[in-house]
Amino acid sequence: MKRRDILISSVAAALATGARAQNNAPVRILVGATAGGSTDTIARTLAASMGPLLGRTVIVENRPGAGGNIAADAVAKAAPDGNTLLMSYTSHAINATLYPTLPFDPVKDFTALTCVATSPSILVANPSVPANDVRELIALVKSRPGQYNFAIGGIGSSLHMAGEAFKMQSGTYIVNIPYRGTSPAVQDVLAGQVQLMFAAVGNVQAHIKAGKLKALGVTSAKRLPEFPNVPTIAEVLPGYESSAWFGLFGPAHMSADLTRRIADAARRAIAQPEMRKRLDNEGAIPVGNTPEQFSAFVQSEITRWGKVVKYSGAKPE
C-alpha cells in the first residue's frame, strides 16, 4: 500500500473512531433548577425514558441560578452535536424581558425540540378571606385596595407573573410579598400571614381537600378534572390563561436530522404510560409537540409575558 493510501486510511479510521466515541458519549440534560422540584423530576423521568430510545445514556445535571439562565447559557454555548440539551421552563420566556441583558438570545441561540408538559396553577386563599370565588375576590380587593397580599415563591417565576396578569386584567391592587421558595410562601398563606397565592396544583391540593385553603379559580383554559367545581379565572376574566411549561431545547444550529431524531425520541418518551403517570403526579399535562410548533410557542410566550413583565415593573433578584 502506498504511503498516501496509508495516510488516508489512518485519517478515515481516526474519524470513525471519533464519531463512535461521540455517539457513545452520554447525553446531558442541563436543568436550571435545584434537585427535587418539578423541573428536575420531569427532566429525570424524561431522561430515563429517552435513553433506551436513543440507545445512549441520558443524564441530568442541575445548574440552578439566575432564573435558569446559568444552565441556558451553558447550552447556548455548547456544540450542536446533541450531547448537551436543556430542560427549561416558563422563565425562559419571562427572562427575555425581565433581564435587561442576557448572555444569550432565548430564541436564536437554541433549537426548540418539544414542549414536554404544561402545568396549570390555582388561585388559593386563606379561609379567613371573605370571598369564595374570583368575582367576589375582585370586588373585595377593589373595595380595599392594598390591603390584601399575594405570596410569591420567586420574583419572575410563572406564578409571580400569573398574579401580575391577574392584577393587570382585573384592575386590582394587591401587594406582592416575595419569598425564597414555594414552601415558605404556602406555609404563610396557611398561617394567615398572607392571604392569597397562585400555586402549583401539586403544592396545595392536599391543603385544599383538607379545608385549610380555599380554591378560588384555576389558571387553565378549561376546568381541571381534580377540581371540577372550581371555575377557571377566564370565566370571569375572558382570555386569562397562565400555565407553567417545561420544554426541551438544544443549542442552535443542530442539523435537521439530529433535531428530528432527538425530538422524536422525546415525544415517544412522553407518550409512554410511565412517563404520563409521573407527569400526572406532578400535576402536569403531557404535550409532546413538534420542534416547529414548540418554536412558535416560545416566540408567542416571549411576546405575551413581555407585556406582563413590563406592567409589573419586576426586576431580577
Side-chain angles (χ1 to χ4, degrees):
M1 184 180 289
K2 295 181 180 180
R3 184 175 179 180
R4 178 175 174 275
D5 293 334
I6 292 173
L7 180 60
I8 291 173
S9 297
S10 299
V11 172
L15 290 173
T17 300
R20 284 195 298 270
Q22 186 182 55
N23 289 338
N24 290 331
V27 176
R28 298 181 304 149
I29 299 179
L30 272 54
V31 176
T34 55
S38 292
T39 309
D40 175 72
T41 300
I42 290 172
R44 291 181 187 279
T45 305
L46 181 67
S49 298
M50 278 182 66
L53 296 173
L54 289 171
R56 300 174 64 185
T57 301
V58 183
I59 61 175
V60 171
E61 290 186 13
N62 298 91
R63 297 200 186 176
N69 289 335
I70 293 174
D73 188 42
V75 174
K77 292 176 170 58
D81 54 13
N83 290 348
T84 307
L85 306 176
L86 174 71
M87 174 64 76
S88 195
Y89 42 98
T90 322
S91 291
H92 189 86
I94 293 171
N95 289 347
T97 305
L98 181 67
Y99 285 77
T101 59
L102 288 172
F104 55 83
D105 186 294
V107 174
K108 294 179 181 179
D109 289 338
F110 297 90
T111 298
L113 296 170
T114 189
C115 182
V116 178
T118 60
S119 179
S121 55
I122 190 164
L123 173 58
V124 296
N126 181 274
S128 64
V129 175
N132 295 306
D133 56 38
V134 169
R135 196 178 303 278
E136 290 181 4
L137 177 66
I138 292 173
L140 176 66
V141 296
K142 281 188 173 181
S143 69
R144 303 175 187 176
Q147 294 185 30
Y148 285 87
N149 301 325
F150 270 139
I152 298 172
I155 297 295
S157 67
S158 61
L159 295 174
H160 172 197
M161 290 301 134
E164 295 296 341
F166 178 85
K167 290 188 285 184
M168 184 173 71
Q169 289 187 234
S170 64
T172 52
Y173 173 43
I174 303 171
V175 179
N176 293 331
I177 308 296
Y179 291 80
R180 293 198 174 275
T182 299
S183 181
V186 172
Q187 290 304 313
D188 269 11
V189 177
L190 286 167
Q193 299 297 319
V194 183
Q195 300 99 337
L196 304 163
M197 182 179 182
F198 278 91
V201 173
N203 288 330
V204 293
Q205 187 168 354
H207 299 308
I208 294 170
K209 291 185 176 180
K212 296 179 180 179
L213 291 173
K214 288 197 288 190
L216 303 183
V218 296
T219 66
S220 50
K222 298 179 180 179
R223 295 193 184 197
L224 300 179
E226 306 95 309
F227 299 102
N229 296 323
V230 178
T232 67
I233 294 174
E235 291 176 41
V236 177
L237 300 175
Y240 182 95
E241 195 274 330
S242 174
S243 291
W245 54 263
F246 308 89
L248 190 66
F249 297 83
H253 310 303
M254 286 173 57
S255 69
D257 178 65
L258 183 59
T259 297
R260 179 188 57 78
R261 284 193 283 117
I262 295 178
D264 285 352
R267 292 166 64 193
R268 288 165 61 196
I270 294 165
Q272 292 179 352
E274 182 59 28
M275 178 81 188
R276 298 178 83 86
K277 181 179 179 181
R278 291 296 297 272
L279 289 173
D280 185 63
N281 291 341
E282 291 294 319
I285 301 167
V287 180
N289 53 7
T290 67
E292 295 78 14
Q293 290 169 331
F294 186 37
S295 179
F297 172 76
V298 173
Q299 293 267 14
S300 68
E301 284 287 277
I302 289 173
T303 300
R304 180 164 78 102
W305 288 118
K307 297 175 183 177
V308 180
V309 171
K310 289 175 182 177
Y311 166 83
S312 73
K315 304 295 180 185
E317 293 180 294

